Amino acid sequence: MASAGREIKFEEILRALLEREKATVTQKRLAKALGVSGTTVSHYVTGRIKPSFQALVAIAAFFNVTLDYLVFGERIRPASVVGADNLRADVMRALAESNAYNGRQRDLVVRVNRRLHEQVERVARELLESPENVSPPGFFTDAEALAIEACANRTRVLVRTTPADISVGPDGEVARGTFFDTLVGNILAGHTYQYLFHGFRSTFEPYVRSYRDLLAQADVPPEIVSDCVEFRVIDAELPAGLVLHELDLSLFERREPVLWERFRDDGIVNGVFAYVSIRHEEALGGIVLYDEYFDSAVRMFYRDWAMSQVL
């Protein structure tokens, strides 16, 4: 592949940059910096997903390299060659500046760090002791919901308004939502999604078209979309959005040990994790469904799915 006579080496350069350190650690940090899943970064490396221009800029900033180097593997050539005398002078000046950083300054840095650490601990204790900062039982954040979904082999979603995978602006323009990159990564890995919209068919048909358009823009082959994603609609009311994940338990335990310990005995039933989706601007996330509420959610999905129509 070439651009203006230059060979594009993005995947090769990104792989090399990741391997500077322990690749898995760097990949997780990069994914967090970009606000995408680790799976998406993996697909950047293999070329299955092409990053946007904004993502390219962010990746270049993360590794402190130029876009020319990231995309084409070309380093900027200096306008002139630095002479040996100038280089020797620069080295000597750097050594002098380093020696000027004396023991008193290092001691000051140590004391500042100690005071900052004490302040952080004090504020953390105050936050933990304040009732207003304690989440209700079973509540988890959007970030935790994304981490859980990334470990799902199958996801079933009961939708009543705009899904979290897409966002609709005031002018009606549709864009990628918070969960879209996780959706793409899971689909490309062969995992399946079943969306069941509750309401009028005419309301949700544009959403489904937008899903397909955005997935095509993300270079997801149409045959994979056809195999892995189903959209159906039923003319019925839904009090709240519901999500059911069939989890890869070994992957979940390995990748998200904190969430595993939290939900393995109190939230996951026969490998399924179910929750009510909260899409309020002041509380994005979900509430875990337990006991009879879990059973009701599962029964509701299968009942409504059987009576629904293909979108």
Side-chain angles (χ1 to χ4, degrees):
M1 186 185 303
S3 176
R6 295 190 290 177
E7 182 183 359
I8 293 177
K9 300 180 178 179
F10 169 71
E11 292 86 0
E12 174 187 341
I13 297 300
L14 179 57
R15 190 178 303 111
L17 290 170
L18 286 169
E19 290 174 354
R20 283 180 178 177
E21 306 173 32
K22 188 176 180 182
T24 54
V25 175
T26 309
Q27 187 166 312
K28 288 181 180 179
R29 287 171 44 222
L30 176 59
K32 184 176 181 180
L34 298 178
V36 301
S37 67
T39 304
T40 298
V41 173
S42 297
H43 291 318
Y44 287 165
V45 174
T46 59
R48 296 187 73 179
I49 297 179
K50 305 298 181 186
S52 64
F53 177 74
Q54 290 84 355
L56 285 172
V57 172
I59 294 170
F62 179 86
F63 288 109
N64 193 27
V65 298
T66 65
L67 279 175
D68 270 348
Y69 178 70
L70 180 64
V71 177
F72 302 109
E74 298 175 357
R75 298 189 184 276
I76 297 176
R77 296 175 181 173
S80 61
V81 178
V82 179
D85 291 340
N86 290 337
L87 179 60
R88 189 180 300 110
D90 286 343
V91 171
M92 295 301 294
R93 182 166 52 253
L95 286 173
E97 291 174 353
S98 176
N99 290 332
Y101 192 77
N102 56 34
R104 180 174 178 276
Q105 289 170 309
R106 287 194 294 271
D107 180 64
L108 178 61
V109 171
V110 170
R111 285 188 283 128
V112 168
N113 283 336
R114 186 181 299 119
R115 291 292 297 275
L116 285 173
H117 180 72
E118 292 171 354
Q119 292 297 318
V120 169
E121 283 195 337
R122 180 182 61 79
V123 173
R125 283 195 300 270
E126 291 176 357
L127 290 173
L128 289 173
E129 292 169 0
S130 175
E132 65 182 14
N133 293 315
V134 178
S135 299
F139 179 82
F140 57 95
T141 66
D142 251 12
E144 291 170 327
L146 282 165
I148 294 169
E149 183 169 330
C151 298
N153 290 325
R154 180 188 296 271
T155 296
R156 299 180 171 97
V157 187
L158 287 79
V159 187
R160 58 187 293 268
T161 56
T162 307
D165 302 306
I166 60 176
S167 64
V168 182
D171 57 354
E173 184 178 354
V174 178
R176 299 182 179 192
T178 307
F179 286 68
F180 186 81
D181 286 335
T182 302
L183 166 70
V184 170
N186 278 354
I187 292 174
L188 290 174
H191 304 164
T192 57
Y193 282 77
Q194 293 175 287
Y195 291 93
L196 180 53
F197 295 93
H198 285 67
F200 296 116
R201 184 185 190 90
S202 58
T203 301
F204 297 112
E205 282 179 333
Y207 290 165
V208 173
R209 286 196 296 270
S210 297
Y211 262 100
R212 298 189 188 281
D213 290 343
L214 289 171
L215 289 170
Q217 292 170 21
D219 295 326
V220 180
E223 60 272 19
I224 292 181
V225 175
S226 177
D227 290 342
C228 296
V229 186
E230 294 181 84
F231 300 101
R232 299 179 74 94
V233 64
I234 182 172
D235 187 2
E237 292 186 0
L238 183 70
L242 298 175
V243 180
L244 307 172
H245 291 307
E246 291 184 12
L247 297 174
D248 180 333
L249 295 180
S250 60
L251 175 64
F252 186 44
E253 181 180 6
R254 185 172 65 255
R255 183 183 290 177
E256 303 295 339
V258 175
L259 292 175
W260 168 256
E261 289 296 329
R262 182 177 169 189
F263 294 122
R264 66 174 181 174
D265 297 322
D266 197 13
I268 299 175
V269 180
N270 296 325
V272 178
F273 182 84
Y275 69 91
V276 175
S277 177
I278 298 175
R279 309 311 309 159
H280 190 279
E281 60 181 4
E282 295 182 357
L284 295 174
I287 298 177
V288 183
L289 293 174
Y290 303 103
D291 304 326
E292 66 269 19
Y293 300 108
F294 174 93
D295 295 335
S296 295
V298 173
R299 286 197 303 270
M300 178 188 299
F301 176 85
Y302 284 111
R303 181 199 67 199
D304 289 358
W305 186 264
M307 297 188 295
S308 62
Q309 297 178 330
V310 175
L311 268 174

